[in-house]
Amino acid sequence: NRCYRRASERIGCGMQAVMWWSGLRGPISFALAVTLVGSDADDEVMPAQRAQIMITTTLSIVIGTNLLLAPATAPLIRALKLSRAAPPAHKAG
């Protein structure tokens, strides 16, 4: 939780934007699509053929958006003027 972190350890708004931009746009969508296929006929949410179409379409969209948006991550970091910060030094003792 951001409220309980020291000011030096908080994740700033710029870094949060980068994490959102490059984050979990694919795995969550794909995981939800895979749940459409049940282990037996009673567990199916929709007919198997339609579920396979949904899974293929979802995977295609995920791969496509990653190929299109991933190259824009570095320019976003530069535009937000974020740099690599050295990790905070831990005090001994």
Side-chain angles (χ1 to χ4, degrees), residues 8-30:
S8 63
E9 295 176 345
R10 290 186 184 150
I11 299 172
C13 292
M15 188 55 72
Q16 288 178 27
V18 171
M19 290 168 58
W20 172 79
W21 179 262
S22 61
L24 295 173
R25 73 175 71 88
I28 293 172
S29 302
F30 185 66

Side-chain angles (χ1 to χ4, degrees), residues 4-79:
Y4 298 110
R5 292 179 184 256
R6 286 182 254 150
S8 63
E9 295 176 345
R10 290 186 184 150
I11 299 172
C13 292
M15 188 55 72
Q16 288 178 27
V18 171
M19 290 168 58
W20 172 79
W21 179 262
S22 61
L24 295 173
R25 73 175 71 88
I28 293 172
S29 302
F30 185 66
L32 289 171
V34 171
T35 63
L36 296 175
V37 180
S39 57
D40 58 22
D42 294 334
D43 291 340
E44 287 185 352
V45 175
M46 64 176 56
Q49 185 178 7
R50 284 189 182 175
Q52 290 301 325
I53 292 170
M54 289 285 284
I55 291 170
T56 303
T57 303
T58 302
L59 190 56
S60 300
I61 292 169
V62 167
I63 290 170
T65 57
N66 279 320
L67 290 173
L68 290 172
L69 297 178
T73 303
L76 176 66
I77 291 171
R78 283 192 296 274

